[in-house]
Amino acid sequence: MKTFYSILINSLAATLTNTFVWFAVTFWVYLETRSVIATSVMAGIYFATVALSGFFLGSIVDRYKKKTSMMISGIVTLILYVLALLTYIITPEADFKNPANISLWILIVLCLLGALVGNIRAIAISTVVTILIEEDKRDKANGLVGTVNGVSFLIASIFSGLVIGFMGMTWMLALAVGLTVVVLLHLITIHIPEKEIVQTGTHMENIDIKGTIAVVGLVPGLFGLIFFNTFNNFLGGVFMSLMDAYGLSLVSVQVWGILWGVLSLGFIVGGLVVAKKGLGKKPLKTLFVSNIIMWTICIFFTIQASIVLLAVGMFIYLCLIPVVEATEQTILQKVIPHERQGRVFGFAQSIEQAASPITAFMIGPIAKFIFIPFMTTGAGVDLIGSWFGTGTARGLALLFTVTGVLGLIVTLIAMQSKAYHKLSQVYKKPEPAFTEADAMEAERDI
């Protein structure tokens, strides 16, 4: 367990750095441009890149040792953050106030890719749990991983707002470079006991998209779980794109950053509960119950223009995210052989995140041209404006409410599906759903 805890500490520092950068850049872009479309496009680019890169990053984790994969992640991230810092220094400040300026988007993309490469680590640590932790304790270990993500989210939320508000982008990027160097130096001292990985063929051949799809199909109901999470991410893109704009309409950037830090305690609470109690004998049921609560909260947490109501709803919502994430990780670690887990985790990430950029790219224009006018000068003012409120922020709030209703309906339908019941039965079996020999045979058949 000592090695596992060392990996957790290292991952905390790395995740903290990448989350800090992306939060800070998002706050900064909105404050510089005051453009909802710019922040939604940022979210869309991020999710699109995550979706497209999942197959590739997962194959890196399977092809190399886990520590090597993490070192690759850290080195590439460091290079990109240094380039982002240089770009910011040499570009006139006035250029960043125009959302159409190419220099602004070069800086955004460099920061985005730096944070994105950190997803290698996210995939790797899920497979490290399989290596270091016994099967009956993995759900609790996944809870600790969720707690680490929550702590990093908390710290990053607080300091991203404060650093942007009081120190500016130069210091933010300099801190990112320094923290990344510290992460790499600490990772060098960690030894992960794992077997030598032997793979033939080029790296592109080992990405093995067709083969990964074939082996996922060997687990009854697993596609159903992935597609359910995909639809949730489709709706979740609404919050990723517009929550900062909504929150900053209620409070200052400094208060919003500190508030997110406090709310991030929800990640920690949820992760610690899973680490202590596990997910129960029926983790899929736990997943659906959590989603029902989450979407119900989304219906009501913006029903009035209240930062208190928003904060309480978001805290409960964030408490449940580690539960949802630990459920999928635990199921995949149980039903997929270790040799395939990197690619399957990467495949799941790609598919599940593919929906979010579609939402993110669409939701800015939808908010600007449909929901905001509806609640400022449109029919919504007369229909519900007397109690719901009117204005730009209330248009965003109505969009959140509609999203919550759709999420709740889909969750209730999914609970009754055949895929849910099939996967529940597979999870009860003591061994993975298939062997490496089964996987190779499935690949030959495609």
Side-chain angles (χ1 to χ4, degrees):
M1 289 297 289
K2 182 179 179 180
T3 300
F4 179 63
Y5 291 140
S6 296
I7 290 293
L8 281 180
I9 292 171
N10 191 263
S11 294
L12 169 61
T15 306
L16 164 63
T17 304
N18 295 330
T19 306
F20 166 72
V21 169
W22 191 240
F23 273 31
V25 170
T26 302
F27 293 163
W28 174 74
V29 168
Y30 182 74
L31 292 172
E32 289 290 313
T33 66
R34 294 293 174 178
S35 172
V36 172
I37 291 180
T39 55
S40 68
V41 169
M42 285 178 62
I45 293 173
Y46 177 80
F47 280 125
T49 312
V50 169
L52 293 173
S53 66
F55 294 108
F56 179 77
L57 300 183
S59 67
I60 289 177
V61 174
D62 277 347
R63 184 173 178 83
Y64 302 102
K65 287 189 174 184
K66 309 314 172 221
K67 179 176 176 178
T68 302
S69 300
M70 293 179 183
M71 288 295 298
I72 292 172
S73 172
I75 291 170
V76 175
T77 294
L78 177 61
I79 293 171
L80 290 165
Y81 286 163
V82 169
L83 291 175
L85 176 59
L86 293 175
T87 300
Y88 183 79
I89 292 173
I90 65 176
T91 303
E93 187 175 347
D95 289 357
F96 294 127
K97 296 188 180 298
N98 179 7
N101 188 279
I102 187 65
S103 297
L104 173 67
W105 288 100
I106 290 174
L107 178 61
I108 289 171
V109 170
L110 287 171
C111 293
L112 178 152
L113 292 176
L116 173 73
V117 175
N119 283 343
I120 295 177
R121 176 182 294 273
I123 296 171
I125 196 169
S126 293
T127 64
V128 168
V129 170
T130 308
I131 295 172
L132 299 177
I133 307 298
E134 297 176 1
E135 190 273 327
D136 61 342
K137 297 179 180 178
R138 286 176 191 159
D139 56 347
K140 297 179 180 180
N142 290 326
L144 287 176
V145 174
T147 300
V148 164
N149 291 336
V151 171
S152 64
F153 199 90
L154 183 154
I155 299 173
S157 299
I158 294 174
F159 283 98
S160 58
L162 292 176
V163 170
I164 291 298
F166 294 115
M167 301 173 68
M169 278 287 285
T170 302
W171 274 104
M172 186 280 289
L173 291 169
L175 285 170
V177 170
L179 287 170
T180 304
V181 171
V182 171
V183 168
L184 284 168
L185 293 176
H186 178 251
L187 183 59
I188 292 172
T189 67
I190 301 174
H191 172 67
I192 302 175
E194 54 182 313
K195 297 178 181 178
E196 188 69 33
I197 297 176
V198 179
Q199 292 198 27
T200 59
T202 65
H203 180 71
M204 292 304 295
E205 290 173 341
N206 281 288
I207 292 178
D208 191 23
I209 297 175
K210 290 183 178 179
T212 300
I213 293 173
V215 299
V216 170
L218 292 175
V219 184
L222 187 55
F223 271 120
L225 174 64
I226 292 173
F227 289 139
F228 174 72
N229 286 333
T230 298
F231 187 83
N232 278 349
N233 284 336
F234 178 78
L235 297 179
V238 175
F239 300 98
M240 179 71 175
S241 302
L242 301 178
M243 183 56 72
D244 285 332
Y246 180 74
L248 291 171
S249 73
L250 299 175
V251 294
S252 69
V253 64
Q254 291 92 336
V255 172
W256 184 238
I258 293 172
L259 178 61
W260 262 111
V262 175
L263 293 179
S264 299
L265 289 170
F267 279 127
I268 300 171
V269 171
L272 288 176
V273 170
V274 176
K276 180 69 174 179
K277 302 293 185 181
L279 296 167
K281 296 181 179 180
K282 297 180 179 180
L284 270 174
K285 183 177 180 181
T286 303
L287 171 69
F288 283 117
V289 170
S290 297
N291 272 277
I292 289 172
I293 297 171
M294 291 168 73
W295 291 122
T296 301
I297 289 169
C298 292
I299 295 172
F300 295 106
F301 72 163
T302 58
I303 204 75
Q304 291 292 302
S306 167
I307 192 64
V308 175
L309 182 62
L310 177 67
V312 172
M314 284 301 298
F315 180 78
I316 300 172
Y317 184 97
L318 296 177
C319 282
L320 293 170
I321 287 180
V323 180
V324 172
E325 291 179 345
T327 299
E328 183 178 26
Q329 291 167 356
T330 301
I331 291 171
L332 290 178
Q333 289 160 352
K334 174 69 178 292
V335 302
I336 302 294
H338 175 255
E339 295 83 1
R340 297 275 169 166
Q341 285 182 9
R343 279 163 286 182
V344 173
F345 274 113
F347 170 80
Q349 180 188 87
S350 285
I351 298 300
E352 290 167 11
Q353 297 292 350
S356 295
I358 298 174
T359 311
F361 284 127
M362 291 171 53
I363 209 63
I366 288 174
K368 183 172 183 177
F369 298 116
I370 298 177
F371 281 85
I372 291 175
F374 184 73
M375 294 307 300
T376 52
T377 59
V381 176
D382 295 326
L383 288 173
I384 59 174
S386 60
W387 63 270
F388 192 81
T390 60
T392 299
R394 301 316 297 155
L396 299 179
L398 180 61
L399 184 51
F400 293 149
T401 298
V402 171
T403 301
V405 171
L406 291 175
L408 180 59
I409 292 172
V410 170
T411 301
L412 293 173
I413 293 173
M415 282 192 72
Q416 306 303 317
S417 67
K418 291 183 180 179
Y420 162 58
H421 295 291
K422 287 180 179 179
L423 187 56
S424 295
Q425 293 300 316
V426 172
Y427 184 81
K428 293 179 182 179
K429 297 179 180 180
E431 300 295 333
F434 60 89
T435 64
E436 182 63 16
D438 295 328
M440 295 176 67
E441 183 177 350
E443 290 177 337
R444 287 195 294 268
D445 291 340
I446 60 176

